[in-house]
Amino acid sequence: MTLFLHITGPNAQALAAEVEAFFAEVIGTPVERRSLPKDDVIYRSDPLAVAALVLAIPGALVATLDLAQRARLGERIDRLRDRLRGKADSADRVSLSGGAGPDLDLIAAPRDAVIDRLEQTSGDRVQSPSGK
């Protein structure tokens, strides 16, 4: 793989010497110094890369919000499970049914399994067997 490092400015020579020494020490290979031709155009950015970045921002924001919402839901599930564990004895069982898969033990199941089950059935209504 070839890496290119462009150094410009009044201290370019001193900076280049520092960078060359660093890379020679880290990589173990001397750095080859080349100068750019005077008529060579230096692009500050690739227009396609900038467009891709701009198009990726909305999706990244939605994913970040989803992760934050999932974290808040996980904290609420942990608090509920702590309350259930405090009130339940060994004969009690609280399970979540519906959606794909078998019944899910709400007290013993991992947090992510509970969140996944809730997300699968988010449009459905959760019903209590006591009718409340």
Side-chain angles (χ1 to χ4, degrees), residues 3-9 12-13 32-44:
L3 299 174
F4 295 98
L5 180 65
H6 302 279
I7 302 174
T8 59
Q13 293 299 323
E32 182 180 338
R33 194 183 285 202
R34 296 182 186 171
S35 55
L36 292 174
K38 297 291 182 197
D39 60 345
D40 197 6
V41 178
I42 299 174
Y43 293 102
R44 298 290 179 212

Side-chain angles (χ1 to χ4, degrees), residues 77-78 81 85 94 103-114:
I77 289 171
D78 286 342
R81 290 164 38 146
R85 286 182 185 129
V94 179
D103 289 358
L104 187 66
D105 184 353
L106 196 58
I107 297 174
R111 173 204 281 196
D112 288 334
V114 176

Side-chain angles (χ1 to χ4, degrees), residues 70-101:
R70 188 175 174 99
R72 284 191 302 272
L73 180 58
E75 290 171 359
R76 293 179 70 187
I77 289 171
D78 286 342
R79 286 193 301 267
L80 171 66
R81 290 164 38 146
D82 288 342
R83 288 193 308 268
L84 291 175
R85 286 182 185 129
K87 294 180 180 180
D89 61 18
S90 61
D92 291 327
R93 179 175 160 98
V94 179
S95 63
L96 190 60
S97 62

Side-chain angles (χ1 to χ4, degrees), residues 4-68:
F4 295 98
L5 180 65
H6 302 279
I7 302 174
T8 59
N11 297 321
Q13 293 299 323
L15 295 173
E18 287 290 327
V19 171
E20 287 173 0
F22 172 78
F23 282 113
E25 180 183 330
V26 171
I27 299 174
T29 334
V31 175
E32 182 180 338
R33 194 183 285 202
R34 296 182 186 171
S35 55
L36 292 174
K38 297 291 182 197
D39 60 345
D40 197 6
V41 178
I42 299 174
Y43 293 102
R44 298 290 179 212
S45 65
D46 181 6
L48 186 58
V50 172
L53 178 64
V54 168
L55 291 174
I57 289 173
L61 289 174
V62 169
T64 302
L65 293 174
D66 286 345
L67 285 173

